[in-house]
Amino acid sequence: MHRQLVKKENAHDDSIWSVAWTQKTNLIVTAGVDEKVREGIEPIHRIYYPGCEDARTHSAVKIWNAEDLKLRSEFAEHSLAVTSVSASGDGKTVAASSMDGLISVRDLETGKKVLTISAGTVETWTVAYDPTGETLATGTHSGDINIWSLKDGKKAGKLKTGGNFTLSVAYSPDGSLLAGSTHDGVVSIFDRSGAIIHKLTGHKVLLILHKHSITLKTPETAAVAYVYVSRSLFGALRSLPTVGRSSRAQMTST
C-alpha cells in the first residue's frame, strides 16, 4: 500500500504530460503544456529559449528534488508542448521531446545543453533513453520508431511497427529490447537488429506502455486503468510466443 509523502500544488501552469524519476541522482523531471514560466520561483538554473524576446511564452521542463519537491531547474526551451521526458541511466542527463519537432538533451546538474536534435514536426511524440546511453528512441505519428545517436544527433535507424501513431516507447533494463505501443492497441517488441520478436495484440483501446505498468485509456471516456506486473515486464515477454507462430500471444484487460 502506497501513501502520499509529499505533494506540490500548481507545479505547472497547465497539464503535466510527462514525468520521469532519475536513477542515482534522485530527481523528478516534469513537462507539459505551460505557456509561461512561473513567477516567484527562483531555481538554480533558469534557461530560456534562445533568441526569444519573451521566453515566458514557451513550454517548460522542470527539475525537482524528489525528497521535498523543491524546484531546482526549469528550462523554457520549446515553443510547443513538451510531450515526453526521459532520464539517462546514470541520472545525469534528461531528454525532452516536443510538438515543435525538437529533442533537447540537458545536463541535470549544470543545466547546460548537451544536444539538440531537429526531428521534424510530429516526429517526437514520445522519447526513451537507451540504458546504455548511446541512443534515444522516439515515437512518431506514422507509427515508426526513430533511433537517434547521442554522439552526433543523427538518425541511426528506423523501426516499423506496422501500426499508426506510436504513443509510447520503452527499453528493457539492459537495452537489448525496445517496445513501442501504437494507437491501434498493438505492442511491438524489437531486438537490437531491429527485428520484431514479439507482437502483442488484443486491445481495442488506446494503450500506453511504461516500464512497470500499462495504462489503458478508452477514447470515449478517457478512463484510466493500471495493470501492475509482479515481475519484470520484459522478463515476462521473453517467455511469450514469437510472431508467426499459430498461438500468437495476446494481452487483454480484465
Side-chain angles (χ1 to χ4, degrees):
M1 188 63 143
H2 293 80
R3 62 186 179 90
Q4 182 174 293
L5 297 177
V6 63
K7 182 178 181 180
K8 184 70 176 180
E9 298 283 357
N10 302 315
H12 284 253
D13 289 299
D14 210 318
S15 301
I16 300 172
W17 284 21
S18 185
V19 62
W21 201 317
T22 68
Q23 299 182 49
K24 301 180 181 180
T25 53
N26 200 29
L27 300 173
I28 293 176
V29 185
T30 58
V33 293
D34 301 62
E35 292 187 353
K36 63 178 181 179
V37 174
R38 291 186 61 79
E39 299 293 345
I41 301 177
E42 294 300 331
I44 297 173
H45 309 291
R46 176 169 283 172
I47 301 174
Y48 297 118
Y49 188 80
C52 179
E53 294 180 1
D54 184 5
R56 293 183 183 86
T57 61
H58 288 73
S59 296
V61 174
K62 299 188 179 186
I63 317 299
W64 313 82
N65 288 327
E67 295 88 352
D68 55 10
L69 289 186
K70 181 179 179 180
L71 183 63
R72 288 176 53 89
S73 312
E74 59 182 318
F75 310 125
E77 184 175 4
H78 294 278
S79 58
L80 293 175
V82 179
T83 55
S84 181
V85 288
S86 179
S88 61
D90 59 10
K92 294 181 178 180
T93 57
V94 64
S97 61
S98 171
M99 293 176 69
D100 62 12
L102 296 178
I103 306 166
S104 60
V105 181
R106 284 193 177 272
D107 186 295
L108 285 170
E109 180 61 30
T110 65
K112 182 180 178 180
K113 184 187 295 184
V114 177
L115 183 67
T116 298
I117 300 171
S118 181
T121 307
V122 296
E123 291 293 308
T124 58
W125 183 259
T126 183
V127 64
Y129 230 111
D130 176 358
T132 67
E134 297 178 354
T135 60
L136 293 172
T138 58
T140 73
H141 73 295
S142 65
D144 296 337
I145 299 174
N146 291 327
I147 308 299
W148 304 90
S149 170
L150 284 167
K151 293 182 179 179
D152 54 18
K154 294 181 179 180
K155 187 183 292 187
K158 178 184 288 188
L159 306 178
K160 296 282 188 179
T161 66
N164 59 77
F165 212 132
T166 297
L167 293 165
S168 189
V169 288
Y171 280 97
S172 61
D174 63 359
S176 63
L177 301 176
L178 176 62
S181 62
T182 50
H183 184 270
D184 50 4
V186 177
V187 182
S188 301
I189 314 296
F190 299 85
D191 63 15
R192 285 193 181 277
S193 72
I196 296 179
I197 61 170
H198 301 296
K199 203 156 192 175
L200 311 181
T201 62
H203 283 303
K204 299 302 181 182
V205 294
L206 182 63
L207 184 148
I208 302 177
L209 179 65
H210 296 282
K211 283 186 179 179
H212 302 297
S213 65
I214 296 172
T215 305
L216 306 176
K217 296 184 179 180
T218 57
E220 296 82 5
T221 64
V224 180
Y226 293 91
V227 181
Y228 293 94
V229 294
S230 59
R231 57 189 175 128
S232 169
L233 173 62
F234 284 94
L237 289 174
R238 288 184 183 278
S239 65
L240 294 176
T242 55
V243 174
R245 294 181 182 177
S246 57
S247 56
R248 173 177 290 183
Q250 293 192 346
M251 185 182 297
T252 59
S253 59
T254 58

